[in-house]
């Protein structure tokens, strides 16, 4: 799809799939790198997550600024966008269906969030980079089209069973190398992997320059204040070293300069 077509889908439905972002000749190498990183740094279980992925693995970095993706992100937010989170997710056979939610900063159970009702304006975008094909059996992401316009989501007590199928839900599918993009307000859930295949993906979330992501970043005053209040130190985002930052492709550096350690 063109940037204009992707934008239209985002406005109307809250989501779209952009195919052919990572070329066929390269997606296998990226997938292998992510799987190895998950073995070394991922969580245990049928759903292994590597939070703060960019600190461990930069194989995705050259593809993050593909014009089909970054063109949409900048069309929504303007220039000076940031990659707020990078997480690898490796899901093996047997993973069960998740619950309906919206991503930060719209999760109502999170200590730092937009209070409901939400304004009808995008403030965060989520992209899921398909490093293996997303199929119905393999557990392509579940979505509720148009729910990005809802003033709340099932992470709050709004009369919607977060664990139950929703009447208008759809499932995102696509070949390896595709990118699922959605407004982070959109209700979504992981689907059960009933296949015999492992599903490999990378989640990259995008923020405009004006959204304060410091509550996510260890070492910042906002993060440390939240950690003192709650006793929790979430590790979804990690600082990167100056040396690693210098090794990133020049086009990708502006996406991560807010995460460079002193």
């Amino acid at each position: 799809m063109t940037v204009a077509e992707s934008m239209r889908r985002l406005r109307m439905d809250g989501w779209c799939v952009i195919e052919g972002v990572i070329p066929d000749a390269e997606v296998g190498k990226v997938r292998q790198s992510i799987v190895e990183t998950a073995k070394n740094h991922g969580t245990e279980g049928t759903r292994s997550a590597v939070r703060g992925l960019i600190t461990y693995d930069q194989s995705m970095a050259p593809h993050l600024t593909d014009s089909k993706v970054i063109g949409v992100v900048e069309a929504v937010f303007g220039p000076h966008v940031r990659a707020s989170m990078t997480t690898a997710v490796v899901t093996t056979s047997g993973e069960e269906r998740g619950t309906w939610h919206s991503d930060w900063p719209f999760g109502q159970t999170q200590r730092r969030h937009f209070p409901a009702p939400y304004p009808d304006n995008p403030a965060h975008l989520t992209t899921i980079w398909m490093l293996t094909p997303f199929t119905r059996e393999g557990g392509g992401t579940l979505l509720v089209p148009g729910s990005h316009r809802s003033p709340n989501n099932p992470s709050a007590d709004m009369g919607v069973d977060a664990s139950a199928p929703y009447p208008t839900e759809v499932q995102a599918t696509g070949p390896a190398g595709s990118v699922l993009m959605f407004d982070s307000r959109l209700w979504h859930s992981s689907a059960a992997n009933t296949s015999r295949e492992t599903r490999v993906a990378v989640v990259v979330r995008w923020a405009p320059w004006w959204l304060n992501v410091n509550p996510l970043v260890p070492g910042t005053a906002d993060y440390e204040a939240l950690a003192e209040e709650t006793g929790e130190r979430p590790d979804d985002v990690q600082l990167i070293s100056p040396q690693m930052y210098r090794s990133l492709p020049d086009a990708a550096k502006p996406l991560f300069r807010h995460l460079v350690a002193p």
Side-chain angles (χ1 to χ4, degrees), residues 6 9 34 54 69 74 78 99 105 120 139 182 184 218 228 255 262:
S6 298
R9 289 285 305 276
I34 295 300
I54 197 67
V69 173
E74 292 185 344
T99 57
D120 188 11
F182 55 89
S184 297
E228 185 175 349
L255 305 178

Side-chain angles (χ1 to χ4, degrees), residues 205-238:
R205 297 180 186 141
W206 305 86
W209 62 268
W210 46 263
L211 181 64
N212 180 20
V213 300
N214 285 347
L216 310 174
V217 182
T220 64
D222 288 342
Y223 179 96
E224 298 303 328
L226 182 60
E228 185 175 349
E229 290 174 19
T230 64
E232 300 175 356
R233 302 186 69 84
D235 60 355
D236 290 328
V237 180
Q238 297 182 29

Side-chain angles (χ1 to χ4, degrees), residues 64-84:
L64 297 180
T65 52
D66 182 278
S67 61
K68 293 186 288 296
V69 173
I70 202 69
V72 179
V73 176
E74 292 185 344
V76 175
F77 294 140
H80 314 302
V81 296
R82 299 173 174 182
S84 60

Side-chain angles (χ1 to χ4, degrees), residues 33 62 87 117 150 158 161 194 205 210 222:
S33 180
T87 304
S150 170
M158 59 173 297
D161 186 347
T194 60
R205 297 180 186 141
W210 46 263
D222 288 342

